[in-house]
């Protein structure tokens, strides 16, 4: 043991807050202090903390069966796959434990597809500001110096393009490109939505060249933008999609959804996971999907998102010294800041409101999709308090 080195690998700059309970949109410290949570574990607790239906689904499954190997059929996993196939473009699903694992499979699936076609298409195009996880594949895909520095040699086969540069995309997207991988709304990159027309144009370019379109909806999917998946706003469908975070509502669960064509290379033995698709995760995931796809749920997300956006626009107008504007969609909103974003996050925290910084000097507001209008009003009141403390 080296005394000076922390027992917990110090890869996070943690805020000195520690919560012992969560309920709905609220987190409570051991002291009893309550915080209004506009982070949802970074878009994870989609239905808030300790949603009674999720607690019941998890408890019931925990009493019946925790784990069996994927060497056996897992009915909860099959049911979740069928629900996702019924609600999306996809013909098939593979379950993972995280978004990073979903990224890894998406990359493998693309490569295997072209291998089976007998074609030399080595390159996956990705975009600056992207975030696909922290594995060696995912950091190579995102390509940012911040994430890759010191971890070389990087996995080859990725080309990172500037975000929003149509000419660069058109020039790069030729018959050597295997796939384009993109977040419809960049999360870590600072709530940067890809305009619908760009996503449509990207689909057309992929169709023209045969490249697969891989969407990373790990952060923006599962109802976050007011549609089950963000790409639905543009009226297009991908070939492969990565999902995680919200789908487990706080229980580790991710998925890769794909068309039969894109998945055609992935036969028995080509991929696997000990824990992916375990009965506990799938029981919770099925309940999350059932609730988010129930009549009226997404209408409410859109309504509350518009309400929150309008309130945020008011905040921006009254504090132009601190804020430049609002961006995002549904309940995935960002405040572009004129002052250092982490100062504002800290001031909000002092007002017992949790927000999360992102790149491009943005603070993210990702409340539970179940947040009430009263809680949104309260959140804005606390943000106003924070802003006044800095002005
Ligand atoms: N992709 C996107 C868009 C993400 O936002 C994240 C996590 O923030 C990931 C992938 C990685 O997911 P995980 O942290 O579950 O591995």
């Amino acid at each position: 043991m080296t005394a000076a080195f922390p027992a917990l690998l110090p890869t996070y700059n943690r805020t000195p807050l520690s919560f012992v309970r969560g309920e709905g949109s609220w987190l409570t410290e051991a002291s009893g202090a309550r915080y209004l949570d506009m982070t949802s574990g970074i878009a994870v607790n989609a239905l808030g903390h300790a949603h009674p239906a999720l607690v019941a689904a998890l408890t019931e499954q925990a009493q019946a069966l925790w784990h069996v190997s994927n060497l056996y059929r897992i009915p909860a996993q099959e049911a979740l796959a069928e629900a996702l196939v019924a609600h999306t473009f996809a013909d098939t699903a593979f379950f993972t434990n995280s978004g990073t694992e979903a990224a890894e499979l998406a990359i493998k699936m693309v490569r295997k597809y072209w291998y089976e076609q007998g074609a030399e298409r080595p390159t996956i195009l990705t975009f600056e500001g992207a975030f696909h996880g922290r594995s060696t594949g995912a950091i190579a895909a995102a390509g940012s110096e911040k994430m890759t520095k010191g971890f070389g040699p990087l996995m080859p086969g990725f080309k990172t393009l500037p975000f929003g540069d149509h000419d660069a995309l058109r020039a790069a997207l030729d018959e050597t490109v295997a796939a384009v991988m993109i977040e419809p709304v960049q999360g870590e990159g600072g709530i940067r939505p890809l305009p619908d027309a760009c996503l449509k144009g990207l689909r057309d370019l992929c169709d023209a060249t045969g490249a697969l379109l891989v969407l990373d909806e790990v952060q923006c999917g599962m109802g976050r933008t007011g549609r089950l998946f963000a790409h639905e706003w543009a009226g297009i469908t991908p070939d492969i999609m990565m999902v995680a975070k919200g789908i487990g509502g706080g229980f580790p669960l991710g998925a890769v959804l794909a068309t039969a064509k894109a998945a055609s290379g992935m036969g028995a033995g080509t991929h696997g996971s000990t824990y992916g698709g375990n009965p506990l995760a799938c029981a919770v995931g099925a309940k999350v999907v059932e609730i988010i796809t129930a009549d009226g749920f997404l209408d409410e997300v859109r309504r509350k998102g518009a309400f929150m956006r309008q309130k945020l626009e008011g905040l921006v107008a009254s504090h132009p010294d601190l804020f430049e504007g609002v961006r995002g969609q549904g309940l995935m909103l960002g405040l572009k800041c004129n002052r250092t974003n982490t100062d504002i996050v800290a001031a909000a925290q002092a007002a017992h409101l949790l927000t999360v910084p992102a790149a491009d000097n943005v603070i993210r507001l990702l409340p539970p999709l179940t947040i009430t209008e009263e809680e949104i009003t309260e959140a804005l009141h606390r943000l106003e308090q924070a802003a006044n403390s800095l002005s």
Side-chain angles (χ1 to χ4, degrees), residues 42 97-101 103 131-134 183 185-188 216-220 242 244-245 364:
I42 315 192
N97 307 289
S98 69
T100 304
E101 288 172 56
F131 184 77
H132 302 297
R134 298 283 196 160
E183 296 155 86
V185 184
Q186 278 191 354
E188 303 303 308
D216 182 344
E217 293 233 16
V218 166
Q219 193 162 147
C220 63
M242 292 130 69
K245 289 186 177 277
R364 275 176 287 179

Side-chain angles (χ1 to χ4, degrees), residues 5-58:
F5 207 81
L8 203 52
L9 192 72
T11 58
Y12 279 92
N13 256 331
R14 293 175 201 268
T15 304
L17 279 180
S18 152
F19 299 107
V20 292
R21 279 193 78 77
E23 196 181 346
S25 307
W26 297 87
L27 284 168
T28 309
E29 282 197 289
S31 65
R34 294 175 83 225
Y35 287 72
L36 185 47
D37 183 11
M38 304 291 278
T39 70
S40 312
I42 315 192
V44 168
N45 305 95
L47 302 180
H49 299 279
H51 189 291
L54 301 192
V55 173
L58 182 61

Side-chain angles (χ1 to χ4, degrees), residues 208-231:
T209 56
L212 299 174
L213 179 59
V214 182
L215 295 182
D216 182 344
E217 293 233 16
V218 166
Q219 193 162 147
C220 63
M222 291 309 295
R224 182 61 42 200
T225 66
R227 298 266 188 173
L228 184 57
F229 290 105
H231 66 263

Side-chain angles (χ1 to χ4, degrees), residues 18 25 60 69 74 81 159 167 172 178 201 223 234 264 334 387:
S18 152
S25 307
E60 192 182 319
S69 164
I74 300 176
K159 181 170 182 184
D167 293 338
S264 57

